Amino acid sequence: MSEPKAPTPAPGDTYKGWLFKWTNYIKGYQRRWFVLSNGLLSYYRTQAEMGHTCRGTINLATANIAVEDSCNFVISNGGTQTYHLKASSEVERQRWITALELAKAKAFRMQAESDDSGDDSTPPAAGQGAGSRNSEVQSTLRTLGSKVEDLSTCNDLIAKHGSALQRSLSELEGVRLGGETSEKIRQVTERATLFRITSNAMINACRDFLALAQTHSKRWQKALQAEREQRVRLEETLEQLAKQHNHLERAFRGATVLPASQSNPAIDSKGPVSGKGDASDEDEENEFFDACEDVQEFITVPADPKYHRRSGSNVSGISSELGMDDGTTSLDEQSLASNPESPQSQELVPVRKRRTRIPDKPNYSLNLWSIMKNCIGKELSKIPMPVNFNEPLSMLQRLSEDLEYYELLDRAAKCQSSLEQMCYVAAFTVSSYSTTVHRTGKPFNPLLGETFELDRVQESGYRSLCEQVSHHPPAAAHHAISERGWTLRQEIALASKFRGKYLSIMPLGSIHCIFEKSTNHYTWKKVTTTVHNIIVGKLWIDQSGEIDVVNHKTGDRCHLKFAPYSYFSRDVARKVTGVVTDKDGKAHYVLSGTWDEKMEYSRVMQSSRGGENGADGRQKTVYQTLKAKELWRKTPLPEGAENMYYFSTLALTLNELEEGVAPTDSRRRPDQRLMEQGRWEEANAEKQRLEEKQRTVRREREREANRAASPSEEGKESADRVLIEDSPLASDSPLKSEEVEIASEPSETTYKTDTDETSSDLSLSTETLHGSHPPAYSMEGPYGAPVKSGHQDNYKSMWFEQLVDPVTGEPTHIYKGGYWEAKEQGNWDSCPDIF
């Protein structure tokens, strides 16, 4: 969920991350990848450039580091190089400042050691680290110890010979001059000579000790000073952390965290704010499609201070405001409380180790225009595509990736307040798009009847099943159930159009999320995905549109708005905003963030009209909010993801072979497996074989359905044919000289040409030709009435049944059971042979 909060790096560590760097007044701040290593701070446009193109480097040994405000700081080396940098938050800025200060201290110390040891000894290699420095200190101490021993020996000798000299002098005074005089004088002379020699040795030893001490004294003084400075910085950092910890404790008790200004970057007027994505980094390559600047529908301002001055004793008051008078805990207390179902508190059981890498993507060239020029205006699902445009996952596996951040639903299942639960559900809807920001590859179109299971009961407590229930139009049904009290189901059909410069993908169908404990039933739909620069330039993806998350039990609603990317917008790229309201329309929470990074929510304390006038002349709503709290943060991609189709950690495991899965599972699809292994030519041939096999099976089903038609239906078909021939459509249609077949069911009329092997169908509602024909539903089944098949071949899915949903009134496929029981028994006899 959230990006891992790395601990403060120790000296010598490499520190990496995204920062915003000021470029110029036109582009403003641009997102860059910074690397701090060996006292040097370097930056690149993307992580992929680290191996070949460095955009700039600054040496921290001579650099000055200055903090401007909560997120901005400046690094300068005296005028030749100056970096104006901006972090995504105050905490992130503090991490960078700490890492930079430690790296600067280390670089300064290494430079001083290199300067001082040039004449005396060769400095240790940089890679030897602390071990070499410790060895050098030990050697110096041993040398000094030997010199001290020499001084001690010399001292003993001087004392001994000095005493002997003193005795000789005393004896000389008492001797009469004569024959003995010369002998005594000779003895005194010998002892004086010994004393002089010993004294000279003492002086030389002292001189050596002094020289050695002077040689290392300066270096030790600098090292000691550096250690003192580092200790001061660490004490200051510790003091800041203590203050932050104290602030977080008070914030928790008073239901406050980050400033509201951070939760709504749109009101920050300190110059231009650039987009966070890589799309803004390649201006000369990208073609931008400017959307009308979205006028924000509301304004958020910090709430009155009286709302923030709540002590720990007033938490119960907040809980009562949130509708939790029965003594239940609030949202923050629940999120911080220990979870008895969490992996930390469960008994340790062996968990399967999933793979963390797949073969790197081959670098094959392809003439895109030669394939695309004849496809403009056609339905994407009917265009034969080589695997060069694909990624080695099917659409069913991409659909299962919606569960990447299942923890949000786990936390939502524990909420006592439906409004708080709505915040988590809304964050879950946004999180499903975070894996698409770099995923420009097209997933494989599933074959009819293809399935994909994702069994994560042991690791995460949930299991899900997807099945391709229709081929034209392509539609997939998905059912997921968790042991932690929630069920997710959806049927998604894709409508897509290629318009030459961009590709629009419009998901159709509703997503349902039901919580077992509260019986709250939520539904929502997906937004439009647009892939830009199909022909020329770097591909990039945008999500735009609006989502209404509705709680059908309580009437609560969350309106989310995905702002389309605009080159001229000063707002944050990929921005998402939303408001959570109850059944009476009263706002309780404001959501804000980006669909590729994080989402936050703020509690609304008061709302009023009177903000800036909107585009339609109406006044905006002004919400007074408490400080923002983080709901969700994206998990960073694994290392080397740019060479593995930008797959997330979950995506890397989806196509891993597993025992016991159904023979129709996407993991067993041969063309997809060959592509993952880098054998693209074989994959293309296998893909064509599978598609032709599917067409043959479909034509055979259609012939069987026509033979099974009753005479009465054949007579009605003749009448339908007469009506069509007499209609204006028959005279204008290019198909009038070809065979026209009418589906056996009155709900759909299908025009099919025998020459179109891809089954490019043109469907018209028979209400146009015959008037309204309501289908004869029989009110059976737990979810409502079964729906008669509108397909000409009367195909029925294996594990799902099409029913009318009682909540939305839409026909949808509901899981009818049997799959997991068949897996336990190992009985797949009923599965078709589609591969």
Side-chain angles (χ1 to χ4, degrees):
M1 322 219 326
S2 67
E3 190 173 298
K5 295 176 172 52
T8 302
D13 289 352
T14 298
Y15 197 63
K16 304 176 183 179
W18 290 104
L19 288 172
F20 292 93
K21 180 180 178 294
W22 176 264
T23 56
N24 53 52
Y25 284 98
I26 297 178
K27 296 182 180 180
Y29 283 96
Q30 295 293 316
R31 195 170 185 239
R32 296 291 184 262
W33 180 255
F34 280 80
V35 177
L36 175 60
S37 178
N38 295 327
L40 300 176
L41 180 65
S42 306
Y43 74 92
Y44 311 83
R45 282 193 175 179
T46 62
Q47 298 182 48
E49 285 189 351
M50 290 179 60
H52 53 83
T53 305
C54 178
R55 301 290 176 174
T57 301
I58 190 169
N59 189 348
L60 294 178
T62 58
N64 295 321
I65 304 172
V67 178
E68 289 189 336
D69 55 27
S70 60
C71 295
N72 294 62
F73 58 99
V74 179
I75 303 175
S76 175
N77 63 355
T80 57
Q81 286 180 297
T82 301
Y83 294 168
H84 294 266
L85 304 178
K86 182 177 182 180
S88 58
S89 66
E90 184 176 0
V91 176
E92 185 67 19
R93 186 221 65 190
Q94 186 58 43
R95 288 201 199 106
W96 273 103
I97 292 297
T98 303
L100 290 169
E101 290 289 356
L102 294 176
K104 178 182 177 181
K106 179 191 172 187
F108 180 79
R109 185 169 60 252
M110 292 177 63
Q111 185 177 17
E113 291 177 357
S114 177
D115 293 341
D116 293 340
S117 60
D119 297 332
D120 299 327
S121 62
T122 303
Q128 293 176 345
S132 298
R133 293 193 295 273
N134 185 55
S135 176
E136 180 186 0
V137 171
Q138 294 296 333
S139 176
T140 303
L141 290 176
R142 283 195 298 269
T143 304
L144 290 174
S146 66
K147 293 298 180 181
V148 170
E149 291 178 0
D150 292 345
L151 289 174
S152 178
T153 303
C154 292
N155 181 68
D156 294 340
L157 291 174
I158 287 174
K160 176 182 177 181
H161 294 302
S163 299
L165 181 59
Q166 185 66 35
R167 287 194 305 270
S168 297
L169 291 174
S170 300
E171 292 174 357
L172 183 60
E173 292 177 355
V175 174
R176 297 178 181 179
L177 296 177
E180 296 180 356
T181 303
S182 58
E183 181 65 22
K184 294 297 182 182
I185 292 175
R186 186 180 61 82
Q187 291 179 1
V188 170
T189 303
E190 289 178 355
R191 283 173 170 75
T193 302
L194 290 173
F195 187 85
R196 185 177 66 252
I197 294 172
T198 305
S199 299
N200 289 336
M202 179 74 170
I203 292 172
N204 291 334
C206 290
R207 185 184 295 112
D208 292 341
F209 181 86
L210 181 61
L212 188 61
Q214 287 177 343
T215 300
H216 293 85
S217 175
K218 185 178 180 181
R219 180 188 303 177
W220 288 345
Q221 287 177 357
K222 290 186 176 180
L224 180 60
Q225 182 63 25
E227 292 294 332
R228 287 175 177 172
E229 292 175 355
Q230 183 174 348
R231 178 180 177 180
V232 171
R233 283 192 294 270
L234 290 176
E235 289 176 349
E236 292 174 352
T237 302
L238 183 62
E239 183 180 0
Q240 289 182 353
L241 290 175
K243 290 180 180 179
Q244 292 175 3
H245 182 267
N246 190 24
H247 171 71
L248 288 175
E249 285 186 341
R250 291 198 308 269
F252 171 70
R253 295 188 182 119
T256 61
V257 268
L258 297 177
S261 60
Q262 294 183 23
S263 68
N264 187 11
I267 64 175
D268 186 6
S269 59
K270 294 185 178 180
V273 179
S274 68
K276 294 193 287 289
D278 294 334
S280 62
D281 296 336
E282 305 292 342
D283 298 335
E284 65 278 9
E285 296 180 5
N286 290 352
E287 179 177 357
F288 298 94
F289 296 84
D290 183 36
C292 296
E293 174 121 11
D294 285 322
V295 180
Q296 197 171 355
E297 296 179 350
F298 55 84
I299 300 173
T300 59
V301 297
D304 192 275
K306 66 182 180 180
Y307 295 116
H308 298 274
R309 297 186 187 132
R310 301 183 184 228
S311 62
S313 61
N314 290 335
V315 174
S316 59
I318 298 176
S319 301
S320 63
E321 290 182 11
L322 299 179
M324 298 181 292
D325 297 304
D326 55 352
T328 56
T329 56
S330 66
L331 178 65
D332 301 296
E333 293 173 308
Q334 280 190 338
S335 62
L336 296 176
S338 61
N339 177 10
E341 299 177 358
S342 64
Q344 290 83 357
S345 60
Q346 289 179 345
E347 294 184 2
L348 294 178
V349 294
V351 178
R352 173 177 175 176
K353 186 177 181 180
R354 308 284 177 178
R355 68 181 184 180
T356 57
R357 287 197 62 83
I358 61 174
D360 289 352
K361 177 182 179 181
N363 187 17
Y364 289 150
S365 60
L366 184 67
N367 188 348
L368 180 64
W369 178 246
S370 64
I371 297 174
M372 290 293 189
K373 64 182 180 180
N374 296 323
C375 302
I376 297 177
K378 292 185 178 180
E379 178 72 22
L380 182 65
S381 61
K382 300 171 186 177
I383 299 175
M385 289 284 187
V387 299
N388 304 59
F389 296 101
N390 287 32
E391 62 180 19
L393 290 179
S394 74
M395 190 62 200
L396 301 181
Q397 291 164 317
R398 285 289 291 267
L399 200 60
S400 300
E401 283 189 69
D402 285 359
L403 299 171
E404 177 97 24
Y405 298 97
Y406 68 92
E407 299 97 336
L408 291 169
L409 296 182
D410 290 348
R411 293 160 66 185
K414 300 174 186 176
C415 290
Q416 303 296 326
S417 167
S418 62
L419 294 169
E420 294 175 2
Q421 191 176 74
M422 174 68 80
C423 293
Y424 280 114
V425 175
F428 176 79
T429 67
V430 176
S431 70
S432 63
Y433 297 99
S434 64
T435 60
T436 67
V437 62
H438 299 296
R439 300 275 290 277
T440 56
K442 173 183 176 292
F444 279 79
N445 284 337
L447 302 175
L448 189 61
E450 184 175 334
T451 61
F452 178 73
E453 69 162 73
L454 185 62
D455 191 348
R456 293 291 190 270
V457 171
Q458 189 177 8
E459 301 100 316
S460 308
Y462 72 87
R463 56 172 40 162
S464 80
L465 176 66
C466 294
E467 181 181 0
Q468 187 77 358
V469 296
S470 173
H471 189 61
H472 285 305
H478 181 206
H479 180 87
I481 186 169
S482 172
E483 295 177 342
R484 297 168 188 172
W486 54 265
T487 301
L488 185 76
R489 59 179 175 87
Q490 57 182 318
E491 179 181 348
I492 298 297
L494 297 179
S496 52
K497 287 295 182 180
F498 172 60
R499 296 301 184 187
K501 293 183 179 180
Y502 65 92
L503 175 70
S504 295
I505 304 171
M506 292 78 70
L508 309 175
S510 298
I511 305 173
H512 299 252
C513 185
I514 304 100
F515 292 96
E516 179 181 348
K517 183 177 180 181
S518 62
T519 67
N520 287 331
H521 190 143
Y522 297 86
T523 63
W524 66 91
K525 296 180 182 290
K526 289 181 174 287
V527 296
T528 299
T529 300
T530 305
V531 183
H532 293 277
N533 296 344
I534 292 292
I535 302 300
V536 179
K538 181 182 177 181
L539 292 175
W540 60 281
I541 292 179
D542 193 25
Q543 313 285 351
S544 59
E546 299 181 1
I547 293 179
D548 280 314
V549 185
V550 181
N551 185 341
H552 293 275
K553 177 183 177 181
T554 63
D556 301 337
R557 182 180 298 266
C558 177
H559 181 74
L560 293 171
K561 185 172 184 180
F562 289 65
Y565 180 79
S566 172
Y567 182 72
F568 299 101
S569 174
R570 295 186 302 171
D571 216 339
V572 177
R574 307 184 181 102
K575 184 177 181 181
V576 181
T577 57
V579 179
V580 176
T581 58
D582 57 20
K583 63 180 180 180
D584 299 322
K586 179 183 178 182
H588 291 265
Y589 293 98
V590 171
L591 306 181
S592 63
T594 57
W595 54 263
D596 68 322
E597 185 177 355
K598 66 177 181 178
M599 285 297 293
E600 297 175 338
Y601 78 112
S602 304
R603 170 73 187 229
V604 176
M605 306 309 298
Q606 189 175 352
S607 62
S608 61
R609 292 278 181 177
E612 300 174 2
N613 290 335
D616 54 0
R618 294 183 301 176
Q619 288 184 329
K620 297 180 182 178
T621 303
V622 178
Y623 295 117
Q624 293 187 20
T625 64
L626 295 179
K627 296 179 182 179
K629 306 174 185 179
E630 188 174 278
L631 280 169
W632 159 78
R633 181 179 290 274
K634 179 185 176 182
T635 303
L637 294 177
E639 184 178 357
E642 64 275 5
N643 300 321
M644 300 184 293
Y645 308 89
Y646 288 97
F647 281 178
S648 65
T649 303
L650 174 64
L652 289 173
T653 67
L654 294 181
N655 207 41
E656 186 177 9
L657 290 173
E658 293 188 14
E659 296 289 338
V661 299
T664 55
D665 197 274
S666 299
R667 300 176 180 89
R668 301 183 182 272
R669 181 165 175 165
D671 54 346
Q672 187 172 301
R673 180 66 56 187
L674 290 169
M675 183 193 176
E676 182 185 284
Q677 297 171 353
R679 301 155 62 183
W680 285 16
E681 292 184 1
E682 300 175 55
N684 277 319
E686 190 66 22
K687 183 172 182 287
Q688 293 179 7
R689 182 189 70 81
L690 291 174
E691 290 174 351
E692 184 57 37
K693 179 179 180 180
Q694 180 174 238
R695 297 186 190 106
T696 302
V697 172
R698 182 170 189 248
R699 285 194 291 265
E700 181 62 28
R701 280 199 307 268
E702 291 173 353
R703 284 193 290 268
E704 291 179 359
N706 290 334
R707 284 196 296 267
S710 63
S712 61
E713 290 177 338
E714 292 177 357
K716 179 172 177 51
E717 180 180 355
S718 301
D720 290 339
R721 191 185 304 276
V722 172
L723 287 175
I724 291 177
E725 290 175 353
D726 293 339
S727 68
L729 178 64
S731 60
D732 297 332
S733 173
L735 302 175
K736 88 175 171 180
S737 61
E738 299 174 341
E739 180 183 0
V740 179
E741 299 177 358
I742 308 298
S744 58
E745 294 296 333
S747 61
E748 187 181 54
T749 303
T750 304
Y751 296 84
K752 175 179 175 298
T753 65
D754 289 338
T755 59
D756 185 6
E757 292 188 351
T758 61
S759 302
S760 179
D761 298 339
L762 173 65
S763 299
L764 296 175
S765 171
T766 55
E767 293 180 4
T768 307
L769 303 178
H770 306 294
S772 177
H773 291 275
Y777 296 130
S778 60
M779 297 305 293
E780 297 175 358
Y783 287 93
V787 179
K788 291 188 177 182
S789 172
H791 298 288
Q792 188 172 355
D793 56 9
N794 290 325
Y795 173 79
K796 293 183 178 179
S797 58
M798 186 73 190
W799 309 108
F800 290 80
E801 181 181 8
Q802 192 176 32
L803 303 170
V804 174
D805 189 277
V807 175
T808 62
E810 300 174 347
T812 186
H813 280 82
I814 306 296
Y815 176 62
K816 60 183 179 182
Y819 179 88
W820 304 107
E821 293 78 6
K823 182 180 180 180
E824 290 178 0
Q825 299 170 6
N827 181 13
W828 302 112
D829 296 339
S830 58
C831 292
D833 178 17
I834 62 175
F835 299 141

